[in-house]
Structures are given as C-alpha cells and as structure tokens.
Amino acid sequence: MSDEPTFASALVDDPPQPMIGCRGVSKTFPGAGRDFVALDGVDLDIAPDEFITVLGPSGCGKSTLLNLIAGFDLPTAGTVSVAGGPVTGPSPDKGVVFQDFALFPWLTVRKNIAYGLREKRLPKAEIRRIVDDMLDTVGLERVADHYPHQLSGGMKQRVSIARVLAIDPRILLLDEPFGALDEQRRSGLQDELLRIWEQRRKTAVFVTHSVEEAIVLGDRVVVMAAGPGRITAVVDVDLARPRDRTSDEFNALRREVTAHLWS
Ligand code: ADP
Ligand code: MG
C-alpha cells in the first residue's frame, strides 16, 4: 500500500497544524562533574488560540521550557517549532512577560509601553494611537506619565503586559507573571488577561505554580515534575469562563490536578 496521503485521509487523519510544537525536547545544562538534565523528552502540541497553563514545583523546568519556546535558548535534543517552522531565536511574534516586570525605571509608563514600537520605527502618530489603546485596555490612563517606582506591583505588571501586547505578538509567553502579587490583584489581572486573550485571539502559554491559577486560566493544564523535568499529565479544563473557583466541578479538577502534581 502506498504511503501517499489521499485527500480523504488528509481530512480524517491530519490534525490542524499546531501553533507551537515540542517534539522530544530535552535540555541539559553542563554541571560540575555531571550534566544536569533540566528537561527530558517533552512532547507538546499547542493549538492556535489555545490557552495553556504549565504547572509544576520549583525547579521542574517550566522556565526552561518557556525559554526554549521564546527562543532565548536552544534544546539539547528534539525540536521546538512555531507555526511549523523551527524556533531559532527570539522574534516579535513571541511576546514574553516575566515575573519581575522588567520595566525600564527611567521611562514613564507611556514610554515603557512605546518602547518596542519605537524599536520597530513606527510613525509617531501610530505609536501614540497604539499606546493610548493599550493604556485603555489595561486601565492605566491615569498613570501614563508616572515612572515605575510610583506604581503598585499590580500596575507594574499591567505595564509589562501592555508593553508586550503593544507589539501584538501572535503568541504570549508568561512566566509566573502574577507570582509576586497578592491574591486580590492576582485574580483581577487573571480576569483582565483572559479578556485580552479572548478579544485579541492569541496563543498563550502561562507558567504558574498555583493549581487554582492553572485551572482558572487554562484550556488545558500541563503538569510537570522534576528530576528530570518532564510532563506527567495534561488535564483538559472543560469549564465555561469565567470560572467559579468554588463550584463542585472546579474542586473536582483541583483534586485531579493536585493528585497528578503529587504523584
Ligand atoms: P522552574 O521554572 O520550573 O522553577 P527552571 O526551568 O528555572 O525551573 O530550572 C530547572 C532546573 O534547571 C533547575 O534545577 C535549575 O537550577 C536548572 N537550570 C536552569 N537554568 C540553568 C542554567 N542556565 N544553567 C544551569 N542550570 C540551570
Ligand atoms: Mg521558573
């Protein structure tokens, strides 16, 4: 029998191309004496517009995985692809939000958000339009001319999200972006992020070590374990948004995900 795909078999068998594809991804860091295996054989396909949360204990390789997708580092083995092409480095289609905000302290909120747009040498009027739109989206109009040190943690994180969104990347990569915030600010920003994600149709990969945050946000929760870093479970979250953290269904998922985390 021929291996040539027929039209019919292509319709039945071929899944749509993933936005992000990880195939047998391993990452080893050279160590004193022995190399350290931070990731071992990670396979993961992420669909266009999907919201994936990556959950696991500290040191299980979450940031390493995100950095490989971002193109900040290359795998030791396996391949990472975006839209079908191999990731060879950072690019404007992949926006990254870090836990520590990484704002420029000497620039105002407005100028922090405009930074990437200036780098792209967009016309001034266009930059102003986009920045105003972003300030509105994340609700920071009032502090547009403030400097980072004048802002609360939640506001700083909104600036760093707005700065990434201004570039309008197809993919959003977020590494424990709300980890430093108190519970109330955190849940407000989770709602805001979901609203933006729904409006702007993005593929999102969100790293967290909070079970609740993983379930509130994700279409699927990817559970990782350490020693060596690997995926141990992928849990579908079939709950309509916004999700009620106190519902029986939510609690059932909380138990399921927690069990995977501890197994
Ligand atoms: P997580 O984000 O899940 O907390 P990381 O991906 O940051 O975990 O790290 C996974 C493991 O790899 C940790 O043990 C960490 O010490 C190690 N590691 C990460 N980056 C490096 C590096 N550049 N050099 C050596 N070891 C590293
Ligand atoms: Mg990390």
Side-chain angles (χ1 to χ4, degrees):
M1 216 175 80
S2 154
D3 283 339
E4 284 287 300
T6 61
F7 181 63
S9 77
L11 279 180
V12 175
D13 298 337
D14 291 359
Q17 186 185 64
M19 180 55 73
I20 300 167
C22 299
R23 287 287 128 64
V25 170
S26 297
K27 181 68 187 177
T28 304
F29 292 110
R34 209 156 59 124
D35 287 352
F36 180 81
V37 183
L39 286 178
D40 187 27
V42 167
D43 291 306
L44 180 65
D45 276 348
I46 300 172
D49 302 336
E50 197 177 14
F51 199 126
I52 286 286
T53 48
V54 179
L55 175 72
S58 166
C60 71
K62 303 182 296 297
S63 295
T64 302
L65 180 60
L66 207 75
N67 287 341
L68 293 178
I69 297 171
F72 296 145
D73 206 350
L74 295 172
T76 319
T79 56
V80 180
S81 61
V82 162
V87 171
T88 54
S91 61
D93 60 342
K94 303 178 295 239
V96 186
V97 179
F98 301 97
Q99 173 165 10
D100 61 2
F101 320 130
L103 301 180
F104 300 113
W106 60 88
L107 296 180
T108 62
V109 166
R110 176 179 290 285
K111 286 186 172 160
N112 263 284
I113 298 175
Y115 187 83
L117 302 169
R118 288 177 177 225
E119 291 242 294
K120 278 169 72 174
R121 304 196 177 284
L122 292 189
K124 273 218 168 84
E126 174 77 354
I127 293 180
R128 175 161 276 277
R129 189 190 62 72
I130 295 173
V131 172
D132 283 343
D133 180 34
M134 281 297 109
L135 286 167
D136 176 52
T137 298
V138 299
L140 288 175
E141 299 102 322
R142 276 189 319 109
V143 295
D145 297 314
H146 286 41
Y147 288 87
H149 76 268
Q150 299 172 290
L151 307 177
S152 69
M155 285 175 165
K156 283 185 208 166
Q157 196 49 288
R158 267 142 75 191
V159 179
S160 75
I161 290 171
R163 187 176 56 180
V164 168
L165 287 173
I167 322 274
D168 200 25
R170 188 68 192 76
I171 295 172
L172 272 182
L173 305 172
L174 307 107
D175 195 352
E176 306 204 29
F178 308 149
L181 308 177
D182 60 56
E183 211 40 64
Q184 204 182 340
R185 286 231 168 78
R186 194 169 172 147
S187 102
L189 278 177
Q190 288 165 351
D191 294 345
E192 221 161 279
L193 177 65
L194 283 176
R195 187 172 52 74
I196 293 167
W197 165 75
E198 265 165 11
Q199 270 174 7
R200 296 181 180 242
R201 317 284 301 159
K202 308 225 174 270
T203 307
V205 186
F206 186 109
V207 168
T208 179
H209 58 252
S210 155
V211 173
E212 179 166 309
E213 185 165 64
I215 301 173
V216 163
L217 294 176
D219 292 318
R220 289 187 292 158
V221 178
V222 172
V223 183
M224 294 182 66
R230 63 201 187 279
I231 294 175
T232 51
V234 179
V235 178
D236 286 307
V237 184
D238 264 332
L239 302 177
R241 295 184 179 92
R243 292 169 179 161
D244 174 2
R245 296 158 204 249
T246 61
S247 74
D248 291 345
E249 296 88 343
F250 196 100
N251 280 318
L253 275 168
R254 196 195 308 260
R255 279 191 294 276
E256 182 185 347
V257 168
T258 304
H260 286 301
L261 206 51
W262 288 359
S263 65

